[in-house]
């Protein structure tokens, strides 16, 4: 701990500024200006340089790389697919879930989609929320509610709620995909304009 602080101080702005001023003091000594009090001059100039040095700038926080986040979401999506494979759903809900998972799989597929997605933190967050929270919560709520509905018949069937939830999640994922397509189209247009301007 003490060693790392010492090394940190050696690399600090205060030490660098102080050393520069201390070297100026040595130059004054060798030119004969400092006289017999040269140690006081060198130490004084070092201290003055250390005092006037700008303060250390704290390092910015190290946020995870969005592409690394997408790798984690991709791993979680594989786990969710394993969970969903073991859940029995009514045919209509199962069809909606298949459409949704296919769209999510396409969005998480490595390639140009991931490159564009990695540049949009909000899109990464929305995709992460869908995979880690929305889809498993909707299916798990259906499974638990279906059991209770058997004990208290006459209520609205839980599969209708599940179908609506999956339809809403599918619409959200489609909007996300449309936004990514739009971003890619704008990128292509910008590149075309750049090439046209370059050829003039």
């Amino acid at each position: 701990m003490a060693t790392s602080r010492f090394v940190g101080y050696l690399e600090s702005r205060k030490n660098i500024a102080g050393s520069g001023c201390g070297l100026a003091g040595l130059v004054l000594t060798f030119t004969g200006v400092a006289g017999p009090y040269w140690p006081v001059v060198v130490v004084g100039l070092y201290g003055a340089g250390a005092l006037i040095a700008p303060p250390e700038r704290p390092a910015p926080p190290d946020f995870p790389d969005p592409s690394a986040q997408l790798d984690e979401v991709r791993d979680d999506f594989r786990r969710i697919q394993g969970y969903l494979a073991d859940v029995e759903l009514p045919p209509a809900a199962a069809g909606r879930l298949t459409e949704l998972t296919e769209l999510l799989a396409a969005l998480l597929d490595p390639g140009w989609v991931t490159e564009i997605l990695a540049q949009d933190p909000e899109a990464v967050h929305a995709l992460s929320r869908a995979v880690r929270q929305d889809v498993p919560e909707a299916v798990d709520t259906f499974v638990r509610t279906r059991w209770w509905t058997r004990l208290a018949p006459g209520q609205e069937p839980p599969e209708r709620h599940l179908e609506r939830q999956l339809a809403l999640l599918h619409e959200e994922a489609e909007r996300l995909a449309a936004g990514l397509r739009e971003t890619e189209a704008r990128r292509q247009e910008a590149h075309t304009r750049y090439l046209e301007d370059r050829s003039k």
Side-chain angles (χ1 to χ4, degrees), residues 29-51:
T29 299
F30 291 128
T31 56
V33 176
Y37 300 107
W38 68 268
V40 176
V41 171
V42 171
V43 171
L45 284 172
Y46 176 87
L51 286 173

Side-chain angles (χ1 to χ4, degrees), residues 5 9 30 40 71 130 132 134 178 186 188 190:
R5 280 186 184 169
Y9 179 74
F30 291 128
V40 176
D71 288 340
R132 293 174 172 162
D134 296 338
R186 280 198 303 267
Q188 279 187 318

Side-chain angles (χ1 to χ4, degrees), residues 15-139:
N15 184 49
I16 292 169
S19 298
C21 289
L23 283 173
L26 285 175
V27 170
L28 291 175
T29 299
F30 291 128
T31 56
V33 176
Y37 300 107
W38 68 268
V40 176
V41 171
V42 171
V43 171
L45 284 172
Y46 176 87
L51 286 173
I52 64 169
E56 290 297 318
R57 189 174 65 234
D62 186 23
F63 293 112
D65 181 26
S67 57
Q69 281 182 298
L70 283 171
D71 288 340
E72 292 173 15
V73 175
R74 212 173 277 123
D75 291 341
D76 291 342
F77 182 64
R78 284 189 206 103
R79 290 210 321 259
I80 290 298
Q81 284 179 308
Y83 160 72
L84 296 174
D86 294 336
V87 176
E88 288 185 32
L89 298 176
R96 289 216 181 262
L97 182 63
T98 300
E99 290 173 4
L100 176 60
T101 53
E102 284 175 356
L103 183 52
L104 292 174
L107 287 168
L108 287 167
D109 191 34
W112 69 268
V113 176
T114 305
E115 290 173 20
I116 296 171
L117 196 58
Q119 296 169 13
D120 188 350
E122 288 181 23
V124 173
H125 173 71
L127 195 55
S128 171
R129 187 185 60 222
V131 168
R132 293 174 172 162
Q133 180 182 344
D134 296 338
V135 173
E137 193 173 298
V139 173

